Amino acid sequence: MQRMNIATDTRSRIIAAAKPRFHSRSYANVGIQEICESAGVQKGSFYHFFPSKRDLVMAVIDAFADEWANGFVAEAFDPALPPMERIDYLIDAAYFWQKSIKQVHGRMLGCIFGNLTLEVSTQDDILRAKLLAIFTRAKSRFKETLEQAVAAGTIPPLDAGLTAEAMLAYLEGVILLAKAQNDPELLYRLGPAIKTLRIELSGD
Amino acid sequence: MQRMNIATDTRSRIIAAAKPRFHSRSYANVGIQEICESAGVQKGSFYHFFPSKRDLVMAVIDAFADEWANGFVAEAFDPALPPMERIDYLIDAAYFWQKSIKQVHGRMLGCIFGNLTLEVSTQDDILRAKLLAIFTRAKSRFKETLEQAVAAGTIPPLDAGLTAEAMLAYLEGVILLAKAQNDPELLYRLGPAIKTLRIELSGD
DNA sequence: ATCGTAGTAGACCGACCAGTCAAATGCAAG
DNA sequence: CTTGCATTTGACTGGTCGGTCTACTACGAT
């Protein structure tokens, strides 16, 4: 059991070293060697736990997804909140998170899922599928929320699935533009407009 | 003058070789050597025309920007069209372009400006500024269009600057999500909702 | 004819890349 | 005490990276 903990420790030290690097730079720009040095681990140990760089980045994706799912996302999609306020909350959370990262790191890092998607999805279908699954789950959260808002009469009926996808796209797009400006304040200015997006039910 | 043409030819052959590569892969994943081989040019010649890889990608960015400005964008933002129809046209153009690329290349490549922004903007402020300028110009096009739509009474008054930025963000976000799905049809389904985005004039 | 210069050629540089491997170590179960 | 496996070590591979350098060619201007 002791061994298990040590092993887990090495593995998680690698992930902990990799996370901020993949977030702040890019997949291709971060090398295994650098991660090993930062984690205090030898090459051989690294490849004991991860068959390839791709497997590492997948673990990093999971780590970020868990962090979000257990943090801001869980707070935002609290069933106790009125549906549309959950969306406000999520936008706020994204804004404050990006802002705090910029204060510490000096730069807007954006969304790691979006970053990786645009970098690797033409080159690696396995990574693309992994990232797509993250987006699909996020879309479901939006969709449920919209359905509840419609059921509650807060908003008129609409195509919840497509509108959810549109909202997710908008959020990613705003983060992209904010990153181009290195300014999280754009999220503050543009974020709330996410609720104006609407796709009507197609007539059939 | 003859020399000028030959020189221009070499330079533009390099750019022509680089364009599809940077578009379909990533900045870091495309090497100078590969570009030289594809363009039939030696390393020395390459560095005669481009001081660095960054200068090449800037020329590539300009080439894409020109291609768009003289093509679809010029068609879409035709003053003869009713303002809001120009936006429809632009979405259509983006959709058909991505679709045709996928038919030829087998993949959704997305927007090279968005791709590069997420990849390099934390690592190279000069490239970030270059890309930001592209987005700023695009935003201006949307803004003028919205202002004209308001003047014509087609849509109620709104904050044209912020709404234009929101629309640009949405477009980039939809392309990002479509790339994650490797499916340009998402542009077709989500694109038209761009016109539902609205940011009201702030009260001051 | 010759000089200057734009362009070309291609070997070369040190650094880094992802990934491999054989040998050693540590530890738990028998 | 021994066997066996998880883990670690660190040297090593073949290849690529962006970029440099010197020599050479081609051509226009004087």
Side-chain angles (χ1 to χ4, degrees):
Chain A
M1 285 306 110
Q2 182 68 4
R3 273 155 73 215
M4 198 63 181
N5 289 340
I6 291 167
T8 301
D9 184 62
T10 299
R11 199 188 128 96
S12 59
R13 261 189 3 255
I14 292 171
I15 292 174
K19 270 180 75 181
R21 284 172 172 79
F22 283 130
H23 193 197
S24 68
R25 310 228 290 283
S26 72
Y27 180 63
N29 199 57
V30 176
I32 306 292
Q33 187 173 310
E34 175 191 346
I35 290 167
C36 288
E37 280 162 16
S38 156
V41 160
Q42 295 302 107
K43 263 276 186 67
S45 288
F46 175 90
Y47 279 98
H48 176 75
F49 289 101
F50 300 97
S52 71
K53 188 183 182 183
R54 180 212 271 156
D55 293 276
L56 168 64
V57 86
M58 294 227 269
V60 167
I61 290 167
D62 282 330
F64 271 104
D66 288 350
E67 185 182 311
W68 266 86
N70 300 323
F72 292 131
V73 171
E75 289 174 34
F77 290 101
D78 177 357
L81 283 173
M84 295 310 277
E85 284 181 29
R86 298 175 208 163
I87 292 176
D88 283 323
Y89 195 115
L90 189 77
I91 297 282
D92 271 8
Y95 165 58
F96 284 113
W97 192 55
Q98 295 291 335
K99 194 173 165 177
S100 75
I101 287 176
K102 184 175 173 185
Q103 273 161 4
V104 173
H105 186 281
R107 308 201 93 97
M108 252 284 291
L109 303 187
C111 169
I112 191 169
F113 310 121
N115 297 350
L116 287 172
T117 295
L118 293 196
E119 181 181 358
V120 308
S121 64
T122 54
Q123 304 176 61
D124 188 322
D125 271 327
I126 293 174
L127 284 181
R128 187 174 62 75
K130 177 99 194 167
L131 292 158
L132 180 53
I134 301 279
F135 287 132
T136 303
R137 213 177 317 151
K139 175 191 155 184
S140 298
R141 296 293 204 137
F142 277 109
K143 183 171 175 240
E144 291 159 19
T145 304
L146 288 170
E147 280 165 350
Q148 290 171 25
V150 169
T154 317
I155 56 170
L158 42 60
D159 189 321
L162 283 181
T163 305
E165 218 162 1
M167 287 181 168
L168 180 59
Y170 181 65
L171 179 55
E172 285 295 327
V174 171
I175 293 172
L176 184 152
L177 232 52
K179 189 169 173 177
Q181 300 180 17
N182 191 28
D183 183 10
E185 296 304 318
L186 193 72
L187 257 155
Y188 182 79
R189 292 196 295 272
L190 299 188
I194 195 173
K195 289 187 296 183
T196 68
L197 278 166
R198 273 189 65 85
I199 299 183
E200 305 296 334
L201 283 160
S202 69
D204 58 351
Chain B
M1 285 308 111
Q2 182 68 7
R3 273 160 68 215
M4 198 61 181
N5 290 340
I6 293 168
T8 302
D9 183 62
T10 298
R11 198 188 129 95
S12 58
R13 262 192 358 258
I14 293 171
I15 292 174
K19 270 180 74 181
R21 285 173 171 79
F22 284 132
H23 193 197
S24 68
R25 310 229 291 283
S26 71
Y27 181 62
N29 198 58
V30 176
I32 306 291
Q33 187 172 310
E34 174 190 348
I35 290 166
C36 288
E37 279 162 16
S38 155
V41 160
Q42 295 300 106
K43 262 287 187 59
S45 289
F46 176 91
Y47 279 97
H48 177 74
F49 289 102
F50 300 97
S52 71
K53 188 182 183 183
R54 180 212 271 158
D55 292 275
L56 169 64
V57 86
M58 295 228 267
V60 167
I61 290 168
D62 282 329
F64 271 104
D66 288 351
E67 186 183 310
W68 266 87
N70 299 323
F72 292 130
V73 172
E75 288 174 34
F77 290 101
D78 178 356
L81 283 172
M84 295 310 276
E85 284 182 29
R86 296 175 209 162
I87 292 174
D88 283 323
Y89 195 116
L90 189 75
I91 297 282
D92 270 10
Y95 165 58
F96 285 113
W97 192 55
Q98 295 292 335
K99 195 173 165 176
S100 74
I101 287 176
K102 184 176 175 186
Q103 272 161 5
V104 173
H105 186 281
R107 298 198 167 271
M108 254 284 292
L109 303 188
C111 170
I112 190 168
F113 310 122
N115 296 350
L116 288 173
T117 295
L118 293 196
E119 182 181 358
V120 307
S121 64
T122 53
Q123 304 176 60
D124 188 323
D125 272 328
I126 292 173
L127 284 181
R128 188 175 62 77
K130 178 99 194 167
L131 292 158
L132 180 54
I134 302 278
F135 287 132
T136 303
R137 215 177 316 149
K139 174 191 157 186
S140 298
R141 296 292 205 137
F142 277 108
K143 183 172 174 238
E144 290 159 20
T145 304
L146 287 170
E147 281 164 349
Q148 289 171 26
V150 169
T154 316
I155 57 170
L158 43 61
D159 189 320
L162 283 182
T163 305
E165 220 161 1
M167 287 180 166
L168 180 58
Y170 180 65
L171 179 55
E172 287 293 328
V174 170
I175 293 172
L176 184 152
L177 231 53
K179 189 168 174 179
Q181 302 182 15
N182 191 29
D183 183 9
E185 296 304 317
L186 193 72
L187 257 154
Y188 182 80
R189 292 197 295 272
L190 299 188
I194 194 173
K195 288 186 298 183
T196 68
L197 278 166
R198 275 190 62 85
I199 298 182
E200 305 295 334
L201 282 160
S202 69
D204 58 350

